[in-house]
Amino acid sequence: MRKLLALCLTFAFAAGLIAGCGGKEATDGNTSAAGASPAATVAASAGAAASTAPKAEAAAFPLTYKDALGNDVVIKERPKRVAVAFFHFIEPWFSLGVTPVAGDNTSSLFGFLSFQPFIKEQANVLDLGSPVSVEKVLESKPDLIIAATPYNDKIMDQLKQIAPVVVLKNELDWKGRLLEFSKLIGESKKGQDKVAEIEKLIVTNREKLAAKKDQTVAFISFNNKGTYTAFGLDRCVAFYDKTAGLGLTAPANYPAVHGKDNIFTLEGLLQLNPSYIFLWDDMTSNSEETTLEELKKNPVWNTLTAVKNNHVFIIDRAAFSAGPLGVEYGVKAVTDFMLK
């Protein structure tokens, strides 16, 4: 039942994307010149956009991009075949309307609920494996490679023999990735517009949850041997940050940094005692549901405030990707669950 609810949220997310496009068209129609029919105006606008866009893109090239290593990478023309050699750099391209020809461990990424609107594109994306296979990168025939340091350092020289390589660090947040990648295709405004769209979504949902500001929220995953990992504040900016996120309240002594002091026993989780618990879920298995059924027999688990109030929800791992699609999915899903 939880899987079904999660899938419903995904379809709602996809419908929202479609509705958003429709809303833009309606706005354009309202600015029609006097005396012109709506159909004629839309057709004229579409024709103008179609003829202007390629010229604007062409004018942006060749461009020189200084990457994270200080290299000046010359991109002669708009990339048509982008290979992404770092898992966390793949998602922003789909947000920008670009389907990479290859990506690091994409078979896993397409299992995320946030990627279901793009599932048909999976056949067009070569999985480079993890670690990345240089042979597969070569097979994908890229005209631009996006790499990460230090993740791809061992194969960097080989990648540079295949195509121009832009190297970035994994320090960029979802906004930074959208803004930087949009520059590489000569469409900076597209990145700026997408950032503004997601920021508006966050603000809208933060306002919806304003009445819940006194409720504490924890994001955790089940581990083996009866322990629990709490996702640190730095991994959940879109949820906890007061200005860049939903402004949710973390329990006292909740870990600030993911990977540091964030492993708890059930008794430790009881000390946090959040009002809401969101459980990391891998949609390819039912392990979370199975563990929850077992926990229902545990008296300590049943004393948690979230459990007593039926405020324990399973949320897809996409919400923790820290990418733009994951942020959109996670913000909508968390808001929907908390307002149930």
Side-chain angles (χ1 to χ4, degrees):
M1 185 67 184
R2 297 179 189 274
K3 299 290 187 187
L4 179 59
L5 177 58
L7 287 171
C8 288
L9 284 169
T10 301
F11 295 138
F13 170 60
L17 290 176
I18 296 171
C21 293
K24 180 62 168 62
E25 291 172 358
T27 301
D28 290 342
N30 289 335
T31 60
S32 302
S37 70
T41 302
V42 171
S45 299
S51 61
T52 303
K55 293 179 182 178
E57 291 173 10
F61 296 95
L63 65 79
T64 301
Y65 182 88
K66 187 177 290 292
D67 69 10
L69 297 181
N71 299 319
D72 289 327
V73 183
V74 178
I75 303 175
K76 295 181 179 179
E77 58 184 12
R78 188 187 195 282
K80 296 180 176 63
R81 299 182 62 82
V82 179
V84 186
F86 181 55
F87 184 82
H88 294 288
F89 288 168
I90 300 173
E91 192 173 312
W93 290 101
F94 285 88
S95 287
L96 293 170
V98 176
T99 300
V101 294
D104 172 16
N105 196 22
T106 54
S107 59
S108 174
L109 193 63
F110 278 99
F112 287 19
L113 277 181
S114 58
F115 262 77
Q116 297 315 291
F118 306 97
I119 198 67
K120 291 182 180 178
E121 297 296 330
Q122 184 172 7
N124 301 319
V125 185
L126 178 65
D127 191 328
L128 298 177
S130 188
V132 169
S133 164
V134 175
E135 290 75 16
K136 288 188 176 181
V137 176
L138 181 61
E139 181 185 338
S140 71
K141 300 178 181 178
D143 53 19
L144 180 67
I145 299 172
I146 308 299
T149 184
Y151 182 75
N152 300 120
D153 284 358
K154 291 182 178 180
I155 60 172
M156 200 71 74
D157 290 340
Q158 294 170 282
L159 293 178
K160 289 179 180 179
Q161 294 177 30
I162 299 173
V165 179
V166 169
V167 183
L168 297 166
K169 295 180 180 179
N170 194 27
E171 297 171 352
L172 290 172
D173 61 8
W174 64 268
K175 297 179 188 180
R177 294 172 194 178
L178 282 173
L179 295 176
E180 293 307 305
F181 294 164
S182 63
K183 292 177 185 176
L184 297 175
I185 56 174
E187 296 188 60
S188 295
K189 189 175 185 303
K190 179 178 283 189
Q192 294 164 5
D193 288 346
K194 190 62 184 178
V195 167
E197 177 188 325
I198 297 175
E199 287 181 330
K200 182 178 179 181
L201 173 73
I202 292 172
V203 170
T204 298
N205 285 276
R206 183 167 67 232
E207 292 172 350
K208 291 180 181 180
L209 292 174
K212 301 279 187 178
K213 63 181 180 180
D214 294 329
Q215 305 290 301
T216 57
V217 183
F219 294 86
I220 69 172
S221 65
F222 294 141
N223 301 326
N224 296 325
K225 300 180 181 178
T227 61
Y228 308 83
T229 294
F231 287 84
L233 298 179
D234 61 330
R235 281 285 298 274
C236 301
V237 173
F239 302 135
Y240 290 119
D241 195 277
K242 302 300 181 183
T243 56
L246 292 176
L248 302 179
T249 302
N253 301 316
Y254 193 79
V257 179
H258 192 70
K260 183 179 180 181
D261 301 325
N262 65 329
I263 306 297
F264 296 87
T265 62
L266 186 53
E267 288 70 20
L269 192 59
L270 182 59
Q271 293 299 311
L272 294 179
N273 199 23
S275 308
Y276 288 83
I277 292 176
F278 286 93
L279 298 173
W280 185 97
D281 182 38
D282 179 351
M283 291 296 290
T284 62
S285 73
N286 292 312
S287 60
E288 287 75 21
E289 285 85 346
T290 301
T291 302
L292 272 178
E293 285 302 313
E294 295 173 353
L295 281 171
K296 288 179 180 179
K297 305 171 186 176
N298 189 304
V300 177
W301 173 260
N302 288 318
T303 60
L304 288 168
T305 298
V307 176
K308 290 191 292 185
N309 293 329
N310 199 29
H311 286 165
V312 178
F313 303 107
I314 293 177
I315 188 169
D316 186 66
R317 54 185 170 162
F320 306 100
S321 72
L325 294 177
V327 168
E328 288 180 290
Y329 162 77
V331 164
K332 290 179 180 180
V334 167
T335 301
D336 288 345
F337 279 127
M338 291 187 67
L339 295 180
K340 284 181 61 176

